[in-house]
Amino acid sequence: LLAVNLLKPGCGMHVMASTLDVQAVSQYTAKAHAQGIAPFLLEIIPATFVAAFAHTEVLPVLFVSVLFAAGLAGCGERGKPVRDLIDSVREVFFRIVGLVMWAAPVGAFGAMAFTVGRFGTDSLVSLGRLILTLYGVSAVFVILVFGAVSWWCGVSLWRLLGYLREEIVIVAATTSTETVLPQLMRKMRALGCEDTV
């Protein structure tokens, strides 16, 4: 918040609210006005196990995932076949995500072309400032917060970042952590970190 208020990365976009399509966000604004704290918390609990994954809300998925992980951890050795199945399915999904990410640059180019066509080439400067602000704040967060945590744990932050440099470059290029998650998990296992449910 401090970086956004000081640097104002969105200034210069000259986006007129009157030119935007109000219908595109009308369902979200109506839902935001109608929702209170109690209904919001109750919507986290899905009607069924499958219903959590059938809609676009993330919180019910997280809620069911945490409950499932807690139940699986409570099963002990009897839950090992389920863990093995989850590991196999996870690898398949990681490969699917990897395939989809090959098409991500085309989508990013289309989004940039739309933005330039709609708001002019000056919008690229504002978008560049936004990206630089994001990376700058992220770097400060990594150095201060992760640096403090790694120091407390007795791990060298710089050696860890050097070990993960390839994944960091891929994440910076694709702006998605999903592309490197399988490699990252393999590297963490090689360091001695174990998967725990």
Side-chain angles (χ1 to χ4, degrees):
L1 288 174
L2 182 65
V4 168
N5 285 310
L6 287 175
L7 302 175
K8 301 185 184 336
C11 289
M13 286 287 289
H14 304 299
V15 177
M16 301 297 293
S18 58
T19 63
L20 299 177
D21 183 12
V22 180
Q23 296 298 338
V25 294
S26 60
Q27 62 178 350
Y28 301 107
T29 54
K31 189 175 180 181
H33 287 300
Q35 196 172 49
I37 294 174
F40 171 77
L41 293 174
L42 288 173
E43 280 190 17
I44 294 174
I45 304 168
T48 64
F49 185 84
V50 178
F53 303 95
H55 304 291
T56 57
E57 283 81 17
V58 175
L59 290 178
V61 174
L62 290 174
F63 180 73
V64 168
S65 299
V66 169
L67 286 180
F68 185 82
L72 189 57
C75 290
E77 280 301 309
R78 288 182 298 166
K80 190 175 185 316
V82 178
R83 286 197 301 269
D84 293 340
L85 176 66
I86 290 171
D87 281 342
S88 301
V89 172
R90 180 182 62 192
E91 286 295 324
V92 172
F93 278 106
F94 283 158
R95 300 222 180 240
I96 292 170
V97 168
L99 291 172
V100 170
M101 290 311 294
W102 280 103
V106 177
F109 176 77
M112 287 177 64
F114 172 80
T115 303
V116 170
R118 186 85 182 258
F119 304 112
T121 54
D122 291 341
S123 61
L124 289 179
V125 176
S126 298
L127 289 172
R129 284 176 53 203
L130 175 65
I131 291 170
L132 289 175
T133 303
L134 170 71
Y135 285 140
V137 170
S138 298
V140 170
F141 180 81
V142 166
I143 292 168
L144 294 182
V145 178
F146 287 165
V149 170
S150 62
W151 173 79
W152 183 64
C153 293
V155 175
S156 169
L157 176 66
W158 305 115
R159 288 182 64 197
L160 181 62
L161 292 176
Y163 181 67
L164 302 175
R165 65 185 174 278
E166 293 174 9
E167 289 74 18
I168 293 169
V169 169
I170 294 171
V171 167
T174 61
T175 64
S176 172
T177 56
E178 294 168 347
T179 53
V180 298
L181 194 54
Q183 301 159 238
L184 186 62
M185 291 176 74
R186 285 187 202 102
K187 282 192 170 184
M188 291 294 103
R189 284 190 198 117
L191 285 178
C193 300
E194 295 187 18
D195 291 343
T196 54
V197 177

